[in-house]
Amino acid sequence: MKRIILLLLLLLPFGVAAQQSKTAPKPKQDSLRLLFIGNSYTYYNDLPQMVYEIAKTQKKKLAVRSITKGGERLRGHLKNEKLRKALTEEKWDFVVLQEQSSDPARPTESVIANIYPAARELDSLIHVGSPEAKTVFYMTWGHKYGSTHKIENYPLVYTYEGMQERIKTTYLEMTYRNNATCAPVGMAWQRVREERADYQLYNQDLSHPSPLGTYLAANVIYTTLFPAQYQTSYTAGFTAEQAEYIQQAAQKTVLENKEVINLK
């Protein structure tokens, strides 16, 4: 009996390590290192893992890590000492930044006061530890029927179209202010809504992504990091038709808008 218990104890660390390596594989020397900073729009359906799986099919060696917290804003992340240490003391090739879902759709003065300064500070911290890193702003999407967080006397965001336009402007301006790149997930989302209204991109709360919505985001982000056409065998469990369409919609949105998203 003692020998069995000892054997189980010896095996346990290997089992834990294998589970962790699925979403955060130990970086190899020649791996590109990617860090996601965001909230539930990033961790729903494990977006970082989907990007990793796409990269693997394309023979891209990518080590992925994420620092997320539900509902967190960029300015909130700045208070996280572990995150600051990760940015200033570790080396990254790409850092993807995602803001809270409705704040970028707020009036201009609110965005200027509460979002742009935090974006600038995070971009600066990224380049303290990794001068050559690419900062990527992950443009999110409008809620299905307009903002679920109503803003008094600001009816512009009471519709999907109005909210999407405000989010798009905020993310692109963050991109330009920091000479960064934008992953135009919200723009691809709008394309799919218009072309394939039968595809369910939203979770039941009409805000968060469904698994298909996350798959779209993953393909947009991958194409932003590696801007070229591709076809991946990783379908995330969707039909071949759905997966192919989502891949193509993501790639077209990125590659047709290189100047707009500051993709160099």
Side-chain angles (χ1 to χ4, degrees):
M1 183 65 179
K2 290 182 178 179
R3 293 178 64 185
I4 294 174
I5 292 174
L6 179 60
L7 180 61
L8 289 173
L9 289 173
L10 289 171
L11 289 174
L12 181 59
F14 295 96
V16 172
Q19 185 178 18
Q20 290 175 341
S21 68
K22 181 179 179 182
T23 54
K26 185 177 179 180
K28 298 178 181 179
Q29 282 191 328
D30 58 348
S31 292
L32 292 169
R33 302 194 69 209
L34 166 61
L35 175 64
F36 284 86
I37 299 173
N39 51 54
S40 55
Y41 272 39
T42 293
Y43 69 66
Y44 256 53
N45 310 307
D46 205 345
L47 170 63
Q49 179 68 23
M50 283 198 186
V51 174
Y52 171 78
E53 295 293 344
I54 295 169
K56 190 165 65 171
T57 68
Q58 303 304 303
K59 310 301 182 185
K60 300 289 186 184
K61 295 180 180 179
L62 201 60
V64 182
R65 180 179 168 192
S66 61
I67 299 177
T68 59
K69 180 180 178 182
E72 189 63 283
R73 293 165 168 81
L74 294 182
R75 64 181 186 274
H77 279 296
L78 284 169
K79 300 174 184 178
N80 183 344
E81 288 304 318
K82 289 184 179 180
L83 180 145
R84 298 177 76 95
K85 186 175 181 180
L87 291 180
T88 57
E89 297 183 12
E90 298 183 47
K91 298 296 183 184
W92 304 99
D93 295 285
F94 308 102
V95 180
V96 177
L97 300 175
Q98 180 247 315
E99 181 57 281
Q100 191 266 357
S101 70
S102 59
D103 279 9
R106 288 185 173 276
T108 303
E109 60 269 21
S110 174
V111 171
I112 291 174
N114 297 307
I115 294 181
Y116 292 160
R120 173 59 60 87
E121 187 170 351
L122 281 167
D123 179 69
S124 297
L125 288 172
I126 290 165
H127 292 103
V128 167
S130 308
E132 301 302 317
K134 177 181 285 188
T135 300
V136 178
F137 288 100
Y138 163 16
M139 179 200 294
T140 54
W141 50 87
H143 301 164
K144 190 168 185 177
Y145 300 115
S147 180
T148 58
H149 306 95
K150 296 302 182 185
I151 304 170
E152 189 175 357
N153 298 320
Y154 201 62
L156 178 63
V157 298
Y158 293 176
T159 64
Y160 161 76
E161 291 79 10
M163 185 179 186
Q164 178 58 51
E165 194 61 30
R166 283 293 298 125
I167 290 173
K168 175 181 174 182
T169 298
T170 295
Y171 270 96
L172 290 177
E173 288 188 350
M174 276 196 287
T175 297
Y176 304 153
R177 283 168 174 251
N178 295 285
N179 193 27
T181 300
C182 181
V185 178
M187 292 166 61
W189 199 281
Q190 188 167 19
R191 177 194 289 260
V192 175
R193 278 184 54 132
E194 292 171 354
E195 294 179 354
R196 294 302 304 262
D198 56 317
Y199 280 16
Q200 297 300 317
L201 299 178
Y202 293 91
N203 186 282
Q204 291 181 347
D205 64 7
L206 310 180
S207 167
H208 286 91
S210 68
L212 188 64
T214 299
Y215 185 64
L216 175 63
N219 279 276
V220 171
I221 290 171
Y222 179 83
T223 309
T224 304
L225 302 183
F226 304 103
Q229 291 186 325
Y230 65 91
Q231 188 169 31
T232 174
S233 59
Y234 174 65
T235 64
F238 299 109
T239 66
E241 178 190 356
Q242 279 185 311
E244 176 66 19
Y245 170 77
I246 290 295
Q247 291 171 32
Q248 291 300 316
Q251 292 173 52
K252 288 177 183 177
T253 302
V254 173
L255 300 177
E256 291 174 0
N257 291 284
K258 282 186 174 182
E259 184 175 8
V260 172
I261 64 176
N262 203 34
L263 182 58
K264 300 173 182 176

